Amino acid sequence: MLTANPQAVKNITCIGAGPIGGGWSAHYLARGYNVTTYLHDTAEIDGLHRLLETAWLSLTEMGLAPGASLDNLEWTTSLEDAVADAEFIQESIPEALELKQNLYQKLGDIVDPNVVIASSTSGLSMTDIQSHCRTPQRTLVAHPFNPPYLLPLVEMVGGEKTSRETVAWTERFYKAAGKAPLVMNKEVPGFIATRLQEAIWREALHMVANGEATVEQIDHAVVNGPGPRWALMGPCEIFHVGGGEGGMAYCLNQFGAALKLPWSRLVAPELTPELRDAMVDGCAEMCAGADFSSLSRKLNRGLVEIAQIKSRLANAQRSGADKSL
């Protein structure tokens, strides 16, 4: 039996302190949780503090939960100490299957079996990760988008031995924690959002490799074209709106034949040294020497403003619906 009430959780353990693990720590701290972060090495602490300081600027602007404070963070290099009081565990260690399997095998032995363990993996299956775990029924994938403290999506899917109770409980927990969980129907490599993102990424690489577009042109096209629409609607709804009164049916009837045209190439191109250099040099030129911190602040400011705009639109829509009642 899992912890009875996911809304009563107060103590979170984050395993890993990189961009994802540290980002999760920032999110949970901003929501008023007590967070214990497990570090593989004490050398990671400075990087974690820098990430939290950068994140806190945007999180403060977004609005902190009552009691939220960076002082609610503890860190340790002892895995046993890190999970001792955990009521929920968010794992974000490197994407190496054997590494994760060994960790879950150990967690299965030292963590209360009623505590859910969620993996931030972006591509590995929970069926594989949980294969050596003594208590696999309480483990599942909970894949965030970066930065986890600003983007609400969490793609959730269990493995073959994950219980339905675990998935349902964790969905309620993430909603209480201010996230937008998406429970998948089945395990699929890359989940949903990453697969869609990967399709665009592969096409971008093809265009650079073939001299059809530069890095800057590709980003210019997305930022000034579909990007702003995607912040408000997904591709299916956009096509539905694009069909006017006829909706999606009009779009499919009008443009369905174009699906057979060679407009995209889903097979990944060979990452030759030349293509790698073109991508690296193109990004360096496009970003004009800006460092990671300044780029992160730029991205975060934009994401905060988009989130605030979406919130205002949602509130206005609810207000209009209330007035019509």
Side-chain angles (χ1 to χ4, degrees), residues 34-97:
N34 301 315
V35 176
T36 299
T37 294
Y38 168 73
L39 305 177
H40 179 68
D41 193 292
T42 55
E44 298 176 88
I45 189 61
D46 288 342
L48 174 61
H49 282 315
R50 286 193 297 271
L51 188 155
L52 291 174
E53 289 168 3
T54 297
W56 210 250
L57 296 173
S58 298
L59 288 166
T60 300
E61 189 175 353
M62 290 280 286
L64 302 175
S69 172
L70 289 173
D71 293 335
N72 293 334
L73 173 73
E74 295 184 1
W75 62 269
T76 178
T77 55
S78 166
L79 184 62
E80 289 78 4
D81 291 346
V83 303
D85 299 319
E87 296 172 292
F88 181 80
I89 295 176
Q90 188 80 49
E91 171 271 309
S92 308
I93 67 172
E95 290 286 271
L97 179 57

Side-chain angles (χ1 to χ4, degrees), residues 77 121 123 181 221 258 324:
T77 55
T121 179
S324 67

Side-chain angles (χ1 to χ4, degrees), residues 282-321:
C283 287
E285 181 179 347
M286 178 175 60
C287 296
D291 62 14
F292 170 72
S293 293
S294 61
L295 290 172
S296 293
R297 288 193 295 271
K298 174 185 175 183
L299 175 61
N300 290 354
R301 282 196 302 270
L303 291 175
V304 167
E305 291 191 19
I306 288 172
Q308 291 173 335
I309 290 170
K310 291 177 70 175
S311 178
R312 288 198 296 271
L313 289 172
N315 289 336
Q317 186 175 23
R318 283 194 294 270
S319 177

Side-chain angles (χ1 to χ4, degrees), residues 218-237:
I218 290 167
D219 280 13
H220 180 92
V222 172
V223 168
N224 294 286
R229 299 191 305 190
W230 288 337
L232 300 171
M233 297 179 179
C236 298
E237 188 174 5

Side-chain angles (χ1 to χ4, degrees), residues 138-161:
R138 45 77 172 268
T139 65
L140 78 167
V141 166
H143 169 241
F145 252 56
N146 199 17
Y149 53 86
L150 290 181
L151 294 177
L153 178 65
V154 182
E155 296 177 304
M156 294 173 47
V157 64
E160 291 179 358
K161 297 179 180 179

Side-chain angles (χ1 to χ4, degrees), residues 96-150:
L97 179 57
E98 185 176 357
L99 190 65
K100 286 186 185 285
Q101 288 175 331
N102 291 338
L103 173 64
Y104 278 68
Q105 182 176 24
K106 187 169 186 178
L107 292 175
D109 294 333
I110 66 174
V111 176
D112 184 327
N114 296 317
V115 174
V116 170
I117 306 171
S119 178
S120 302
T121 179
S122 59
L124 300 175
S125 80
M126 182 46 63
T127 294
D128 291 336
I129 293 172
Q130 68 185 195
S131 61
H132 304 321
C133 181
R134 188 171 56 87
T135 52
Q137 70 278 358
R138 45 77 172 268
T139 65
L140 78 167
V141 166
H143 169 241
F145 252 56
N146 199 17
Y149 53 86
L150 290 181

